[in-house]
Amino acid sequence: GESVGLHLPTLSVQEGDNSIINCAYSNSASDYFIWYKQESGKGPQFIIDIRSNMDKRQGQRVTVLLNKTVKHLSLQIAATQPGDSAVYFCAETRDGNKLVFGAGTILRVKS
Amino acid sequence: EPEVTQTPSHQVTQMGQEVILRCVPISNHLYFYWYRQILGQKVEFLVSFYNNEISEKSEIFDDQFSVERPDGSNFTLKIRSTKLEDSAMYFCASMGTPSSIGYEQYFGPGTRLTVT
């Protein structure tokens, strides 16, 4: 069946350091992947996406890496700030219709 | 910046009652979705809606659930007879025309449904 990122780890980083959040997916038919940020009491907020025909995509302070060989997705946040503290979810889709979310990773930024 | 809005922010209802959760998607979007998130768990897909009909639904979306786009701006989720296990955060999302990159779904702030 489909499953993405079955763990809910916590990542604690010092302000200014780089953060790397990882996600595993199992559906090799998925062709589009997204990272969402969720702050307490709010809905998921789109961060960055990547298609399966790419292995890297960069945004402002964020980079997503896709390794299809091992079905692994990562989100890199440069110069992490206190405002980056949130739960981060990866999500996958095969047809753009239904997003399958991972369990999430809690990012805590220490000042 | 356009955003998805949802009302109410919190709904408390008794088991067996009907509830309607309301969403106003981003105005030029064509694809609409409902997801839910039980406390401490991951976000789960419920249903997608396009061109005035359901395009896909999950196993969770049984006969107790229905969706409607009653006018040009609202998108609603109705639960006919609520159960305790329906307690969750319900998120509405919308998407415009898929881009060359992919399918960017924008989420609303959610409605917290508490069934007692």
Side-chain angles (χ1 to χ4, degrees):
Chain A
E2 297 173 330
S3 63
V4 178
L6 301 176
H7 305 287
L8 187 59
T10 299
L11 177 65
S12 292
V13 299
Q14 198 66 38
E15 182 179 357
D17 287 352
N18 296 335
S19 303
I20 299 176
I21 300 171
N22 297 302
C23 174
Y25 66 94
S26 61
N27 188 352
S28 54
S30 293
D31 63 357
Y32 177 65
F33 305 87
I34 316 100
W35 280 100
Y36 282 93
K37 172 186 180 184
Q38 187 178 27
E39 296 174 283
S40 181
K42 296 184 179 180
Q45 177 189 354
F46 175 93
I47 301 174
I48 192 167
D49 56 1
I50 189 167
R51 271 212 173 271
S52 60
N53 61 356
M54 305 166 74
D55 52 24
K56 180 179 179 179
R57 189 155 186 248
Q58 287 184 290
Q60 188 177 11
R61 274 202 314 120
V62 294
T63 301
V64 55
L65 298 177
L66 175 63
N67 186 332
K68 295 181 288 294
T69 303
V70 295
K71 298 196 190 75
H72 185 266
L73 194 67
S74 69
L75 176 70
Q76 300 177 0
I77 304 173
T80 313
Q81 301 167 1
D84 295 328
S85 294
V87 180
Y88 288 80
F89 294 94
C90 61
E92 62 171 320
T93 183
R94 184 166 47 87
D95 56 7
N97 215 14
K98 163 186 169 182
L99 291 178
V100 176
F101 280 81
T105 295
I106 299 169
L107 176 65
R108 291 204 178 102
V109 182
K110 298 175 284 187
S111 299
Chain B
E1 186 176 324
E3 57 183 18
V4 177
T5 59
Q6 292 185 241
T7 54
S9 57
H10 190 193
Q11 175 86 48
V12 182
T13 190
Q14 289 190 326
M15 195 168 52
Q17 296 296 305
E18 174 184 288
V19 293
I20 298 176
L21 310 183
R22 301 180 192 279
C23 169
V24 178
I26 294 173
S27 65
N28 60 347
H29 282 188
L30 303 174
Y31 300 81
F32 313 108
Y33 310 86
W34 283 101
Y35 293 82
R36 79 170 187 190
Q37 185 178 31
I38 294 171
L39 186 63
Q41 298 187 22
K42 58 186 178 181
V43 178
E44 301 173 287
F45 170 82
L46 291 177
V47 66
S48 59
F49 190 86
Y50 171 71
N51 201 26
N52 283 320
E53 60 183 26
I54 290 173
S55 44
E56 187 171 353
K57 59 184 180 180
S58 71
E59 294 175 351
I60 303 168
F61 195 89
D62 61 22
D63 292 344
Q64 296 299 315
F65 290 84
S66 63
V67 289
E68 193 178 28
R69 187 152 164 84
D71 52 43
S73 59
N74 291 283
F75 181 50
T76 62
L77 174 69
K78 182 192 290 186
I79 309 175
R80 193 174 314 144
S81 177
T82 51
K83 302 187 279 284
L84 294 176
E85 54 265 37
D86 293 328
S87 294
M89 197 77 167
Y90 287 80
F91 294 107
C92 173
S94 71
M95 182 176 75
T97 305
S99 71
S100 58
I101 295 295
Y103 318 96
E104 188 173 333
Q105 293 184 23
Y106 292 86
F107 283 74
T111 292
R112 179 168 299 285
L113 176 65
T114 302
V115 182
T116 61

